[in-house]
Amino acid sequence: MGNRGMEDLIPLINKLQDAFSSIGQSCNLDLPQIAVVGGQSAGKSSVLENFVGRDFLPRGSGIVTRRPLILQLVNNKAEYAEFLHCKGKKFVDFEEVRAEIEAETDRITGSNKGISPIPINLRVYSPHVLNLTLIDLPGMTKVAVGDQPADIEHQIRDMLLQFITKESCLILAVTPANTDLANSDALKIAKEVDPQGMRTIGVITKLDLMDEGTDAKDILENKLLPLRRGYIGVVNRSQKDIDGKKDIRAALAAERKFFLSHPGYRHMAERMGTPHLQKTLNQQLTNHIRDTLPGLRNKLQSQLLSLEKEVEEYKNFRPDDPTRKTKALLQMVQQFGVDFEKCIEGSGDQVDTNELSGGAKINRIFHERFPFELVKIVFDEKELRREISHAIKNVHGVRTGLFTPDMAFEVIVKKQIVKLKTPCLKCIDLVIQELISTVRQCTNKLNSYPRLREETERIVTTHVREREGKTKDQVLLLIDIELSYINTNHEDFIGFANAQQRSTAANKKRAIPNQVIRKGWLTLNISIMKGGSKEYWFVLTAESLSWYKDEEEKEKKYMLPLDNLKIRDVEKGFMSTKHIFAIFNTEQRNVYKDLRQIELACDSQDDVDSWKASFLRAGVYPEKDQAESEEAAPADTFSMDPQLERQVETIRNLVDSYIGIINKSIRDLMPKTIMHLMINNAKDFIHSELLAYLYSSGDQNSLMEESADQAQRRDEMLRMYHALKESLQIIGDISANTVSIPVPPPVNNTWIQESR
């Protein structure tokens, strides 16, 4: 019965799918299925029962099939049935199968006549069946009955389309012979999804119930109302036979007798009846599987090749062999060392293109993050000048000093050098964080041995933490060395003479002409007649004050040179919440457009003081007549005593120069210190000492204990490897043994009315 080649292939495909799903992959083989569609009481369920040779489907009037029934027929010596929702339970009595279908239908849809698209999966094992997958779908109806929803017709139609739209699905369009075939709902819906008729097979039921003197000979011969794959006539049991429990085998014999004895059908009796329908379906399935075989074979071969390398390791695998464990331990530690070095030093293979990691990230910390942290130590100009002023006065004591004291310079410089400790220690913390992250990343390859991974990570991380203390001590020592001797003979240091010249120079400029001293938002106050107040982005350099539309600094509004400019305070307006200061030209010239002075407004007095201090650094000083005595304003930023002012400016320039030298030196030494004491040391430790630490940390057997996942993965891989090899072998046999039947030529099926 059927095609033996296909009989061997379907169980193998099931086995393959089980093997693939067990390791989380899908075979994606488009297995064939047959959907049975037709109107209510067209005899669909009877056709299925004839295939199985048993009564097992619910019967009655109206909608009996209210959920799709996926019926998997498996050729087997023993005869029994299983439901997917009752795993492990075998039904030997097919009356119980019917009762279970009814109970399971009611569980989802309720006891009324509602429907549900959730399928019931039933597998029938029997020596009388072919390996097929059939789907019994609800019968198409036009009118809602009882508690059914008003749109029952559309619900059923949508459910049918879900199944029959798939290219791998053959459509059994069942139509009773005692109705008008041109209006067959089954053929209409089949034509929608299969207009060429490539996968539609017409089934005519109830041939024995036609009016006397009429027959369906022309239809069954495919002359009247033709279909590409033609029609097959079947005779099912009558309701009287069913009620009388007529045996299906007896019914099949009666069907055979009907076709042989009927004058209109006897010449084509061999092409009619349930057995022929089974053979036809069997051949269609074989053809479909033959079509999918080349693709399947390619897929299996590529999977086999990809597995071959890994399986090679496992073929002669003995988990408890001590020699294997020692070899694996040495290889793992060696590989970890190589991976760690590659991560730090960089390499051409396995480059991560998604994000920076390892050495690249540490390089970024050294040359971007650390310099930025140094620059972030912004000296509060106002505070620094006050400190310099106090230092000068305290050094002179009761006397009035005529010369700038170098002691004041040393005190201020040392105070600034101490501030470098915080960013230096932060840099070490960032590098350690990245080192530990790199160690963790490199131990991922040790996942097969969880204990080894854990121990390796712990030992290396502990070593890095030990080196952290030594590295921090060394860096703090570097800063202490800088504090121990202020080298004013350094070739890059400007010296007292240059500092004084710079502070008394007519233009009062800083060392670097284009040096940006400050950036920020300020409000430019102009009368409403000339445009009104507006916020701009201001940039103060050693030579000019510019303002832009925004911080992108693309649209420059104006650039004002700082020559002959001074600052004066402006009283806050009655309604204004802003704090204002003004810039004017000492030679009575216009500063901006036709304005003698421009007013700049800030949100707070602190901002005003801070900006004024920045202008000081650029050589723009306050107006003389605003100076108040030390007693009247002890907290004033700077005294207006010209001599003290010169001394403060001289020391300010010296501090700037010397701190620049220190920053340059620290920026250069920090990466070198960290590399030597921490990173290179960690590499040496991994290469020369890690193995010894691992041996001393515990028993080698427990250290090299495989993870359960790894053991399972190995077993699954070997199982899959053998399943693939076996399947490829069987596919080779199948291809040689199966016989394909070509698709019939197209026919004119315009007679099928379009469904509305």
Side-chain angles (χ1 to χ4, degrees), residues 207 214-216 257-267:
L207 287 165
T214 62
D215 61 36
K257 188 179 174 186
F258 171 81
F259 285 116
L260 284 170
S261 60
H262 195 287
Y265 308 134
R266 69 165 69 106
H267 67 288

Side-chain angles (χ1 to χ4, degrees), residues 40 101 117 212 244 346 467 478 496 545 573 596 624 686 694 707:
Q40 278 179 28
I101 292 173
E212 205 171 329
R467 299 304 299 173
L478 282 177
F496 270 80
L545 175 68
R596 287 292 170 90
K624 289 282 184 203
I686 290 166
L694 282 168
S707 68

Side-chain angles (χ1 to χ4, degrees), residues 600-618:
L600 302 172
C602 305
D603 289 331
S604 67
Q605 188 56 45
D606 281 348
D607 286 347
V608 170
D609 293 343
S610 187
W611 269 102
K612 281 160 88 174
S614 298
F615 273 107
L616 259 181
R617 289 199 64 197

Side-chain angles (χ1 to χ4, degrees), residues 9 288-298 731 734-735 738:
L9 185 60
H288 176 70
I289 289 175
R290 277 180 61 89
D291 293 343
T292 60
L293 278 182
L296 176 63
R297 186 191 290 109
N298 290 342
I731 285 175
I734 297 290
S735 302
T738 55

Side-chain angles (χ1 to χ4, degrees), residues 63-74:
I63 299 185
V64 179
T65 307
R66 293 184 284 126
R67 286 175 64 182
L69 176 74
I70 297 178
L71 177 63
Q72 294 174 315
L73 304 181
V74 182

Side-chain angles (χ1 to χ4, degrees), residues 237-253:
R237 292 173 300 165
S238 66
Q239 194 60 46
K240 183 182 172 187
D241 294 338
I242 293 164
D243 295 341
K245 304 284 184 192
K246 183 177 180 180
D247 181 58
I248 289 180
R249 286 181 187 79
L252 289 175

Side-chain angles (χ1 to χ4, degrees), residues 633-696:
D636 195 15
T637 313
F638 31 81
S639 162
M640 284 302 111
D641 170 13
Q643 189 171 331
L644 180 61
E645 191 182 302
R646 274 197 306 276
Q647 290 177 356
V648 167
E649 187 61 24
T650 300
I651 288 180
R652 177 71 189 86
N653 289 335
L654 290 171
V655 169
D656 237 10
S657 171
Y658 198 80
I659 290 297
I661 294 166
I662 300 293
N663 276 355
K664 195 175 177 182
S665 171
I666 292 289
R667 270 211 314 269
D668 181 53
L669 282 172
M670 271 294 288
K672 292 174 180 175
T673 308
I674 293 172
M675 278 302 293
H676 175 67
L677 290 175
M678 188 181 290
I679 297 172
N680 290 345
N681 183 279
K683 283 193 294 190
D684 294 343
F685 174 81
I686 290 166
H687 283 303
S688 57
E689 294 179 57
L690 174 59
L691 199 58
Y693 273 88
L694 282 168
Y695 274 123
S696 63

